[in-house]
Amino acid sequence: KQEVTQIPAALSVPEGENLVLNCSFTDSAIYNLQWFRQDPGKGLTSLLLIQSSQREQTSGRLNASLDKSSGRSTLYIAASQPGDSATYLCAGLGIYNQGGKLIFGQGTELSVKP
Amino acid sequence: DTEVTQTPKHLVMGMTNKKSLKCEQHMGHRAMYWYKQKAKKPPELMFVYSYEKLSINESVPSRFSPECPNSSLLNLHLHALQPEDSALYLCASSQRQGAEETQYFGPGTRLLVL
């Protein structure tokens, strides 16, 4: 059974700092891994998707990596800004799950202080 | 256009009421999902529709009744809900293209059951 864990649960950093959010999963038979951002009371915004054959994806100041052998993914945020404050969720899609069932981690609540 | 829309944004209902949540997407996606999200928790999958047929029901109580009238619309009918059903209800859609399947989420409906 796939389990996804995110650490830390909460993170507070000063503006301008580079930071890394961690996601680990127990089943390496993963189809892809998706990173989301969620603002309080809002829906989820897809940030990056990494296919199982890929090692990383980049979008602007965001870089996500995937290491299937170790069961880990990281989301790197460069030069953080107060507008980056949100909860970040990673979710894995199992390789045998054609129904599209995402398994979510508990999320990391990020606060970037001006 | 990667937009999933949901109506209403907010809903307050009594335990004897019948109401419906609506979700719409025009991306041509053939998989649509309902998730329930409690405060400070990740989304929990409720239902998956694939090609307008119910493919996954995560043992959801019968007071929640999903419906997929066509490939663009997804409804969730609510009847005789309990206060503990108060939550953010999220709709999502996706389409597997080769090795990539990205789920796109709507903004959610905030439900309060009194």
Side-chain angles (χ1 to χ4, degrees):
Chain A
K1 179 185 172 185
Q2 179 72 274
E3 293 183 4
V4 178
T5 305
Q6 290 184 248
I7 53 171
L11 181 63
S12 181
V13 300
E15 181 177 4
E17 195 161 295
N18 302 326
L19 57 100
V20 174
L21 307 181
N22 295 292
C23 173
S24 61
F25 46 93
T26 55
D27 186 354
S28 63
I30 195 165
Y31 189 78
N32 61 37
L33 191 132
Q34 199 167 351
W35 282 92
F36 295 90
R37 167 190 173 136
Q38 186 173 31
D39 293 289
K42 304 293 186 182
L44 277 66
T45 300
S46 180
L47 297 173
L48 289 165
L49 178 140
I50 310 177
Q51 299 171 24
S52 62
S53 60
Q54 297 173 328
R55 296 190 68 85
E56 66 178 296
Q57 283 286 332
T58 298
S59 176
R61 294 183 294 107
L62 306 180
N63 176 278
S65 67
L66 176 65
D67 184 343
K68 288 179 57 179
S69 61
S70 66
R72 294 182 60 189
S73 177
T74 60
L75 179 67
Y76 175 83
I77 302 177
S80 58
Q81 303 170 358
D84 295 330
S85 299
T87 296
Y88 291 80
L89 294 151
C90 70
L93 180 63
I95 197 168
Y96 298 113
N97 187 346
Q98 298 297 310
K101 181 176 178 179
L102 284 175
I103 307 298
F104 282 89
Q106 295 293 312
T108 294
E109 189 173 355
L110 173 65
S111 175
V112 181
K113 305 294 187 184
Chain B
D1 181 12
T2 57
E3 188 178 25
V4 177
T5 60
Q6 290 187 242
T7 56
K9 291 185 179 180
H10 302 276
L11 180 63
V12 180
M13 60 187 291
M15 290 189 285
T16 59
N17 292 158
K18 286 184 180 181
K19 297 287 184 182
S20 296
L21 310 184
K22 298 186 183 302
C23 173
E24 190 167 4
Q25 56 90 12
H26 295 288
M27 295 177 277
H29 291 174
R30 301 314 298 267
M32 296 186 74
Y33 313 79
W34 281 115
Y35 289 84
K36 173 183 177 179
Q37 187 179 27
K38 302 284 275 186
K40 303 288 188 181
K41 297 290 187 183
E44 298 176 359
L45 183 67
M46 301 174 71
F47 303 104
V48 180
Y49 272 82
S50 179
Y51 290 87
E52 300 156 54
K53 295 190 186 310
L54 183 65
S55 61
I56 295 178
N57 176 340
E58 291 287 293
S59 302
V60 178
S62 60
R63 58 186 184 268
F64 296 91
S65 175
E67 177 196 20
C68 190
N70 60 56
S71 60
S72 299
L73 292 174
L74 186 66
N75 298 322
L76 186 62
H77 303 297
L78 314 173
H79 175 55
L81 293 193
Q82 303 296 311
E84 59 265 28
D85 297 321
S86 298
L88 181 67
Y89 287 84
L90 296 164
C91 174
S93 70
S94 71
Q95 180 76 17
R96 185 160 289 185
Q97 294 178 332
E100 184 168 316
E101 180 170 353
T102 302
Q103 286 196 21
Y104 296 95
F105 282 75
T109 293
R110 175 73 62 187
L111 174 67
L112 177 63
V113 182
L114 300 175

